[in-house]
Amino acid sequence: MPLKSYGVLAARAVDRRREGADDTPHFQIHLVDNDGTHYRAAVNVQSQESPSELLYLVEEDFSHPVTGKLPAAGSGWTDLPAREGGAGLDYVRGELLDRKDLKKLPADRPGADNDLADVLEEHVQRAIEDDSAAVYLFGERWGPEEGTPDKIFGFEPGNGVHDIHMNQGNSKRFEGQDGVWQDGGLLIHLPGDDQWIAVFLAFQSQSWNTDDSTGHAEESGDQPSDPAEPSDPAEPGDPADPGQPGEPGGGGPVPAVRIRSAMVNPEGPAPETETVTLVNDSTTVVDLDGWHLADRNEHRVAVPAQRLEPGATVTVTGADGFQLGNRGGSITLLDAAGEPVHAVTYSAGQARREGSQVVFEA
């Protein structure tokens, strides 16, 4: 059966807290509506099983008819019918996103601007600092839990929203949560900038070929070969507990050749010369003939053909439509067969630092 109480919370963000692998882990948001009712949004940032990384997409200039169907800013919780034509989200049917744009990130790791919690914090903090910002969180409601204070922010009664991620195409263990037009997500409206920001999240275990009635994964669909289950069913007082988290770093072994850094926003007027630096972290020589870099729009630029010695670097200059956008993006290193070798993402916050290299950890 689908989610029991799907809808959208329209409220003002007033605080946030990130949890690491020793906690749930989630990115927690404290919100208050126009009537003074408090809520907590528990946003999954890590999957229960390996691979632990969630898939995510941030659209910093989001434009979609759904924004015109939302309840008034700050109006609190609104139940949404799970049907086409309403305000409910559907990653598969709603033309909200291109799944090829989804990238994966670990939940939390040392350093700045290099994990999913960093991505969420950047945008949520911007909403907290802007008194006019309106936040909309799609998912499943829990509470109010009379007489029980919220376990994170302490307000009473406990009350909030979870399942703020794709809610269809689950593995057999969690297919009871499947449904259509009931996906989760986060929208932020910044009226002063006339800007909508959208954040979409999915588990690597979920299929994108789903039944139009049930949301169950189709037998012939693109089932992942290495499942990462979504969160465990809700426990009282902790509706978004994902069980035992995977390794915080995740992602498997470091590739022989990886993307070490990028000059995303060079100094000077546009068009600037953007560069990406690769490094050979292996103990053997790697032949780069036929290798390419791809940007988030899949525009490719050739890597200079050479035999890269162990520990050596090579810098690739943007050309042939390859661009690193200043509102965040991704870079993928492809080998001669066109297979991904290494992929990284960077945020709008990193891109705003003109003339500064964005460094990606191994």
Side-chain angles (χ1 to χ4, degrees):
M1 60 182 296
L3 300 181
K4 295 178 181 179
S5 55
Y6 177 68
V8 61
L9 172 63
R12 168 104 170 83
V14 296
D15 198 3
R16 83 287 177 273
R17 184 172 301 173
R18 54 195 295 161
E19 297 179 316
D22 293 336
D23 297 299
T24 329
H26 292 82
F27 187 87
Q28 308 282 4
I29 309 172
H30 183 186
L31 305 105
V32 182
D33 68 17
N34 291 343
D35 293 331
T37 303
H38 292 251
Y39 305 82
R40 172 166 59 90
V43 185
N44 289 75
V45 293
Q46 184 166 288
S47 185
Q48 180 184 355
E49 297 179 0
S50 179
S52 60
E53 300 98 332
L54 261 66
L55 299 172
Y56 84 99
L57 174 64
V58 176
E59 289 286 357
E60 296 198 1
D61 192 15
F62 183 65
S63 177
H64 190 278
V66 72
T67 60
K69 302 175 182 179
L70 296 174
S75 57
W77 178 260
T78 299
D79 290 315
L80 295 177
R83 60 173 175 80
E84 185 176 3
L89 305 184
D90 192 304
Y91 289 13
V92 176
R93 299 160 189 84
E95 298 183 355
L96 295 164
L97 71 159
D98 186 338
R99 61 170 293 196
K100 296 193 299 294
D101 291 335
L102 288 162
K103 304 297 179 184
K104 59 184 179 181
L105 268 182
D108 187 44
R109 61 183 177 186
D113 300 320
N114 61 6
D115 55 50
L116 188 50
D118 289 337
V119 170
L120 291 167
E121 183 154 13
E122 175 188 349
H123 299 292
V124 172
Q125 186 61 37
R126 185 176 175 188
I128 292 172
E129 294 172 356
D130 186 342
D131 290 338
S132 68
V135 177
Y136 296 87
L137 288 141
F138 296 78
E140 184 174 46
R141 173 78 180 272
W142 88 78
E145 300 169 329
E146 298 297 339
T148 302
D150 181 75
K151 71 170 190 175
I152 301 296
F153 298 107
F155 60 81
E156 190 174 329
N159 185 37
V161 56
H162 65 134
D163 288 335
I164 306 168
H165 49 68
M166 184 172 170
N167 291 305
Q168 60 182 303
N170 286 311
S171 62
K172 289 293 184 181
R173 181 180 174 189
F174 298 101
E175 69 177 8
Q177 300 172 11
D178 285 342
V180 297
W181 299 102
Q182 58 150 40
D183 285 331
L186 166 64
L187 299 182
I188 299 173
H189 185 212
L190 302 170
D193 295 329
D194 191 23
Q195 181 182 7
W196 283 88
I197 300 170
V199 181
F200 302 116
L201 301 166
F203 296 97
Q204 294 186 59
S205 60
Q206 292 172 311
S207 171
W208 291 73
N209 185 16
T210 60
D211 183 89
D212 288 335
S213 298
T214 65
H216 294 331
E218 296 280 11
E219 292 298 328
S220 59
D222 54 61
Q223 299 291 349
S225 57
D226 189 6
E229 303 289 358
S231 58
D232 283 337
E235 295 292 337
D238 187 13
D241 186 357
Q244 295 299 317
E247 291 297 323
V254 176
V257 178
R258 66 177 178 87
I259 302 165
R260 187 173 75 174
S261 63
M263 178 60 72
V264 175
N265 188 6
E267 294 181 344
E272 311 103 320
T273 302
E274 300 164 342
T275 60
V276 178
T277 299
L278 311 178
V279 61
N280 182 359
D281 278 337
S282 74
T283 57
T284 61
V285 177
V286 178
D287 187 354
L288 299 181
D289 187 24
W291 289 41
H292 289 80
L293 290 173
D295 63 20
R296 64 174 297 175
N297 295 316
E298 300 188 0
H299 295 134
R300 297 188 179 189
V301 60
V303 174
Q306 60 181 277
R307 291 172 59 82
L308 194 63
E309 299 289 335
T313 63
V314 59
T315 298
V316 185
T317 302
D320 301 326
F322 177 89
Q323 292 184 328
L324 303 179
N326 290 349
R327 289 190 170 184
S330 64
I331 312 169
T332 303
L333 176 62
L334 307 168
D335 64 18
E339 295 296 323
V341 173
H342 188 215
V344 296
T345 60
Y346 60 91
S347 68
Q350 290 173 301
R352 279 196 290 268
R353 296 193 281 267
E354 184 174 348
S356 178
Q357 289 275 352
V358 176
V359 178
F360 306 102
E361 293 186 1

